[in-house]
Amino acid sequence: KAGVTQTPRYLIKTRGQQVTLSCSPISGHRSVSWYQQTPGQGLQFLFEYFSETQRNKGNFPGRFSGRQFSNSRSEMNVSTLELGDSALYLCASSAGTGFEQYFGPGTRLTVT
Amino acid sequence: GENVEQHPSTLSVQEGDSAVIKCTYSDSASNYFPWYKQELGKGPQLIIDIRSNVGEKKDQRIAVTLNKTAKHFSLHITETQPEDSAVYFCAASERRDKIIFGKGTRLHILP
């Protein structure tokens, strides 16, 4: 079974721009969660989608948003990029509540 | 809010020795405690997890213990090998779809 895939793997953007990251979960998984990983703050929960609905949200500003499609693929969008948004963005999929999460390799975003 | 403290931040052990990483959590409602291993350039990989109704769980050279009263849980790796070198994260969750992570421990296995 293929694992979680994330595209692109690397991205360089300029302050003020916006970016969209994509995540394809493991086949059959309906839950997708997004995390931001930085050296200073570690792994921080952004939000979680299940069956196209956002079920949980972390403490991030409204510039961070996401969505999930009917095939469970998910996208995350960050608008008006700031230098502090430079991070590794990880997505994790699971079969649903009560099941383990499996992470993708992440998208490394650099904001200059 | 929910918080998970992890210690130490860096740990060096001789190959063949044991390594112990400790975590504490703040939310008494937490009932699921996974441990992840992250190698360079990769996403975190689930290596073992424990639920709140169990005090200890073992999988080959890896074991996790949980003390719900003290809100402590620990990862034990015995007979360490070079491939154990990585960053390890503990985490706690009330629901498995929202996980709060510790800051990580960088484990170095010395030859």
Side-chain angles (χ1 to χ4, degrees):
Chain A
K1 203 182 241 189
V4 178
T5 58
Q6 292 187 245
T7 56
R9 292 293 312 276
Y10 302 91
L11 206 49
I12 300 174
K13 289 287 188 179
T14 305
R15 269 181 303 177
Q17 290 186 314
Q18 75 166 21
V19 66
T20 299
L21 312 182
S22 180
C23 171
S24 292
I26 292 171
S27 178
H29 283 191
R30 296 168 64 188
S31 170
V32 174
S33 297
W34 287 89
Y35 295 84
Q36 181 195 64
Q37 185 175 27
T38 60
Q41 298 300 316
L43 276 154
Q44 292 185 286
F45 173 78
L46 279 156
F47 30 66
E48 185 253 351
Y49 287 86
F50 182 84
S51 293
E52 303 179 64
T53 301
Q54 187 182 90
R55 293 198 302 188
N56 288 293
K57 191 175 191 306
N59 297 322
F60 278 81
R63 299 185 298 107
F64 292 81
S65 63
R67 59 177 175 169
Q68 187 180 34
F69 302 95
S70 58
N71 62 357
S72 293
R73 189 177 71 85
S74 177
E75 288 182 346
M76 192 192 95
N77 184 275
V78 188
S79 62
T80 319
L81 283 166
E82 300 176 0
L83 294 178
D85 296 334
S86 294
L88 180 68
Y89 289 89
L90 293 157
C91 120
S93 81
S94 77
T97 302
F99 292 88
E100 294 79 10
Q101 289 195 359
Y102 296 90
F103 282 83
T107 293
R108 172 77 60 188
L109 172 65
T110 302
V111 182
T112 61
Chain B
E2 303 149 324
N3 187 46
V4 176
E5 298 283 339
Q6 182 172 349
H7 300 280
S9 57
T10 306
L11 178 61
S12 297
V13 299
Q14 290 292 138
E15 182 179 347
D17 287 350
S18 296
V20 180
I21 302 170
K22 299 183 178 182
C23 291
T24 60
Y25 61 97
S26 61
D27 187 354
S28 56
S30 296
N31 55 22
Y32 175 62
F33 306 91
W35 285 86
Y36 287 85
K37 174 184 180 182
Q38 188 173 25
E39 297 173 313
L40 200 60
K42 297 182 179 180
Q45 176 191 8
L46 179 67
I47 56 172
I48 195 168
D49 58 12
I50 191 168
R51 300 186 192 189
S52 59
N53 58 351
V54 175
E56 184 174 359
K57 184 176 179 180
K58 190 173 182 180
D59 182 5
Q60 299 183 350
R61 297 185 298 108
I62 295 174
V64 58
T65 59
L66 171 65
N67 182 330
K68 278 219 78 176
T69 303
K71 298 184 192 172
H72 289 172
F73 58 115
S74 301
L75 177 72
H76 304 251
I77 306 174
T78 59
E79 300 172 11
T80 52
Q81 300 170 4
E83 54 266 34
D84 295 330
S85 292
V87 179
Y88 291 81
F89 293 94
C90 64
S93 175
E94 179 189 356
R95 297 161 51 101
R96 293 197 193 186
D97 47 9
K98 181 178 179 180
I99 297 177
I100 306 301
F101 286 84
K103 290 290 179 70
T105 295
R106 187 172 297 277
L107 176 61
H108 299 278
I109 305 302
L110 307 173

